[in-house]
Amino acid sequence: MGEAKGKIKNRWLIALAAVGIHISIGSVYAWSVFTNPIREQLGWDLSAVSLTFSIAIVFLGLSAAFMGHFVEKYGPRRSGLVAATFFGIGLVGSGFAINLESIWLLYVTYGALGGIGLGVGYITPVSTLVKWFPDRRGLATGLAIMGFGFSAMIASPIMANLIDSVGIANTFFTLGIIYFVIMLASALYIERPPAGYMADVQTSGKKVQSDLSQLTANEAVKTRRFWYLWIMLFINVTCGIAILSVASPMAQEIAGLSAAAAATMVGIMGVFNGLGRIGWASVSDYLGRANVYTAFFVIQIVTFFALPSITHAILFQAVLFLILTCYGGGFAAIPAYIGDLFGTKQLGAIHGYILTAWALAGLVGPILASWIRETTDSYAGTLYIFGFMFIAALIVSLVIRIDIKQLKEKNKVQDLAS
């Protein structure tokens, strides 16, 4: 552990270190701040510049999946250092890509290298927090993942000011150094809880629910419940990302918002995305993960089918904000759900595998939303199709309960036998 046996680190400071990592890498969501300045300075077209963000999200998903075992084997400190190095080099390299006017170098630096830093950095603190907070899994993971959700809101104005004052390339250099320092400091503090920590929490009188199983990542992938979780996350993220990608024009078309009002609405959506992460994840500690996921889908079935007929601007925005809390909450509740169903033996690796749903959804959602809009010539069709996808997700959220019930009964029989 690198610590004296008697001294245990403060778990709330561990949580703060986790937030430090997530608030750094979450700045990827503010990529759009760079879009217009890069296009104006270098004359690249919109789709070419936007592809940088897509590459970063794909590499996030892939590295989370492939590096999950690395996180489990070498611990959060080393994997945090790996994340800081890749993300820092990715941003600094992006500055060189701008100076050299090379979009391919930008794809490699921000997209691939930065994306690897994103993926490793995303799963590193989450699996550790689940182990530090056996009594409040949802709250702990919600805190870190909230940092990821809120990051763009904090980073966007800073990036915009830096671009105006020092230029695009120097903004990348500056951010690369700042984020590297924050992630380095966070990684050096974060570590796994000492052996027997779970028992200490239990003897302190806090109720800790026992996990339904203790599986390795490769065992978990062979179970039905893994794929049920994967499908639920995939549908939740596909529809959420799609709504995020068309929110502004959709609000203008359906509810008659002005372009400026729609832009403000998109900013506020980020707040609800972040609040949903901490709010729903904390609620899941009391209601249970299965109930919270079912609630997500019920709420979104109703809202997606209702949205096309809501022309009142304030009501339309309120409904969108509610949808965004479910989108954010889906990310935050999933690590705790994984812990409940598969245990903490290889939680980071299992979480990495599940996040491939995010990588795929990041590609499918925006493409699907644009395609349906062009085909049907209205956003109503898009919303109805996503509404039907949520009906499928709701069914999955009910079917997984059969699996959970069978596991509980099996565990009960084994407990009685022993």
Side-chain angles (χ1 to χ4, degrees), residues 208-229:
V208 181
Q209 194 181 334
S210 59
D211 300 324
L212 292 175
S213 61
Q214 286 291 337
L215 301 185
T216 64
N218 293 341
E219 288 166 342
V221 175
K222 292 172 187 161
T223 64
R224 282 194 307 260
R225 60 189 185 279
F226 173 90
W227 293 103
Y228 292 151
L229 284 188

Side-chain angles (χ1 to χ4, degrees), residues 137-139 279-290 292 332-333 336 340:
R137 274 181 182 169
L139 169 70
W280 280 113
S282 303
V283 166
S284 76
D285 285 334
Y286 301 96
L287 292 184
R289 256 59 80 170
V292 161
D340 296 347

